[in-house]
Amino acid sequence: MRAWEIMAGVAAGALVAWLALVGVLLVGKPRGGALPEALRLLPDLLRLVGRLAADGTLPSGVRGRLLLLGGYLAMPFDLIPDFVPVLGYADDAIVVAWTLRSVARRVGLPALRRHWPGSDDGFAALCRLLRLPTDGSPLLPAKRSWWVDGALLAGFIALTLALTNEAVLAIDVRVDDWCRAHRPELLYWLARGGNLLGQGTPLAVLALGLAVVLGWRRRSVRPLLPVLAAELLTGVTVLALKLGLHRAPPNNQNGVANPERLFSDPAGQSYPSGHLVVAIVWYGIIALLLAGILREQRRWALRVVPPVILFFTTVYLSFHWLTDSVAGLLLGLLLYRLLMRAPWDSLPLGRRLATSGWARPGLARQR
């Protein structure tokens, strides 16, 4: 593929992404006279974002969301130029309002009130802008959006289709060549140790053991439900994809031609990376089971750190191609989010379990 074709493809992709952003902002912009009000409140909104992000008592997920917003606002250029009608001067206010609404539904209205730097009238205007109650009535729980799930699925499909492109395959080969050329013995053994974090069977046994202990202590079978569902969902999904796409790994132990291609080895099971999928799902399930024991920050680290380590070790050791691990990351996040959607503490389990008392809630609520 020639350089100009690659550049044209990148430019077209960027244009489509920008048009999608404009469309999302148009759909989500405040209705009626709320947009001018948002622009008037913008200085106070920005100070509110800074104060909330600095509050160490808020969940790390909320603070991370606010820091990402700060990064967006700090960009030295506008993603939506000022000459674009309606949105040109209002994109920052719209994004801030979106984020604060999601934060309010997570931490409650009192947290926003405590950090609000403006007047009482300004806070009332903020509540109108975010469509939040001002009469003391409780906030409705936030509905889980399917946008992220759809984006993860679309990314996985797009990456799989892209593996028919020689330029994408060349990236895999070059990354593997670099890893092989920069693999001193010390780093090799450190990576081998880190790679043990992605062993699915020990993680499943650990999660099952935790679920049994919690279930016995809380007299409930419900801690077992996400564990059994995770085993079934990951096992069926990953195995079906690996067998269907049968890609050879970089080590190419069967000596097939062009191992970087899909369908290159009938016995190959490299795509997607099962290490990444099971790590994301099982560490997430373990963090769910420990919600009443570990603090939120430690559970966040438990969910994030092992998959990050595995992403690098699987590629560095030539166990997987780079795109294998990217695909495993996308698929693992998708499966984890699907599992977290299930109301495990309220699923109907039948009259017999209900009358026995073993169907009571058994999972601590995550913040």
Side-chain angles (χ1 to χ4, degrees):
M1 180 177 286
R2 286 170 288 186
W4 72 268
E5 292 176 308
I6 296 175
M7 293 176 63
V10 171
L15 178 60
V16 170
W18 183 82
L19 291 174
L21 174 63
V22 171
V24 169
L25 289 175
L26 280 173
V27 170
K29 71 181 180 67
R31 302 295 183 225
L35 185 56
E37 195 165 50
L39 291 172
R40 180 177 63 82
L41 292 174
L42 187 56
D44 284 337
L45 292 177
L46 296 178
R47 287 195 290 271
L48 175 63
V49 168
R51 292 183 179 184
L52 288 169
D55 186 346
T57 65
L58 298 183
S60 58
V62 169
R63 297 174 65 199
R65 197 177 308 174
L66 292 165
L67 290 174
L68 288 175
L69 172 63
Y72 172 85
L73 297 174
M75 288 192 302
F77 56 89
D78 284 336
L79 288 180
I80 310 296
D82 292 342
F83 61 79
V84 176
V86 181
L87 297 178
Y89 291 96
D91 56 312
D92 288 349
I94 295 171
V95 173
V96 171
W98 276 358
T99 307
L100 288 177
R101 180 171 173 80
S102 69
V103 168
R105 291 193 174 278
R106 188 76 191 280
V107 302
L109 200 58
L112 268 64
R113 187 68 185 94
R114 185 170 67 251
H115 291 289
W116 176 248
S119 64
D120 291 341
D121 289 342
F123 186 75
L126 172 69
C127 292
R128 291 194 299 270
L129 173 66
L130 304 184
R131 300 193 299 277
L132 301 175
T134 57
D135 56 0
S137 58
L139 296 177
L140 295 175
K143 295 181 179 180
R144 282 182 175 268
S145 171
W146 286 94
W147 283 99
V148 176
D149 308 71
L152 291 169
L153 178 60
F156 179 82
I157 294 173
L159 178 60
T160 305
L161 295 175
L163 290 178
T164 61
N165 188 301
E166 293 295 333
V168 176
L169 296 176
I171 295 174
D172 272 335
V173 173
R174 288 170 186 167
V175 169
D176 184 61
D177 289 343
W178 185 93
C179 291
R180 292 175 186 273
H182 299 80
R183 195 182 290 162
E185 187 173 2
L186 176 60
L187 288 181
Y188 171 80
W189 287 110
L190 286 174
R192 287 299 297 263
N195 206 63
L196 295 176
L197 294 170
Q199 303 303 306
T201 300
L203 289 174
V205 171
L206 174 60
L208 181 61
L210 285 172
V212 169
V213 172
L214 288 175
W216 181 258
R217 291 181 61 183
R218 297 169 182 172
R219 297 296 187 267
S220 173
V221 300
R222 293 190 182 275
L224 293 170
L225 300 182
V227 175
L228 299 177
E231 178 66 23
L232 179 63
L233 184 61
T234 57
V236 171
T237 305
V238 174
L239 185 61
L241 289 168
K242 284 179 173 289
L243 294 178
L245 298 171
H246 48 86
R247 188 188 198 187
N251 288 329
N252 194 18
Q253 62 268 31
N254 295 326
V256 299
N258 303 117
E260 70 276 8
R261 295 180 178 176
L262 296 179
F263 315 110
S264 58
D265 183 357
Q269 296 186 19
S270 186
Y271 186 88
S273 169
H275 285 78
L276 264 296
V277 175
V278 300
I280 292 170
V281 170
W282 282 120
Y283 283 109
I285 293 296
I286 292 171
L288 172 67
L289 296 172
L290 296 177
I293 301 171
L294 293 181
R295 296 181 61 182
E296 199 274 339
Q297 291 86 350
R298 294 182 179 179
R299 286 187 287 112
W300 180 88
L302 180 62
R303 292 193 303 267
V304 172
V305 174
V308 170
I309 293 174
L310 283 162
F311 184 91
F312 291 101
T313 59
T314 54
V315 177
Y316 184 69
L317 294 170
S318 297
F319 291 167
H320 284 286
W321 303 102
L322 174 62
T323 50
D324 293 341
S325 292
V326 174
L329 178 66
L330 295 171
L331 183 61
L333 289 172
L334 175 61
L335 297 184
Y336 170 72
R337 287 179 59 87
L338 293 177
L339 288 166
M340 292 301 102
R341 284 182 176 275
W344 300 115
D345 268 346
S346 59
L347 287 175
L349 297 181
R351 182 179 300 176
R352 181 174 298 180
L353 276 175
T355 55
S356 69
W358 283 82
R360 61 170 57 93
L363 294 167
R365 184 178 179 183
Q366 296 198 81
R367 291 182 65 189

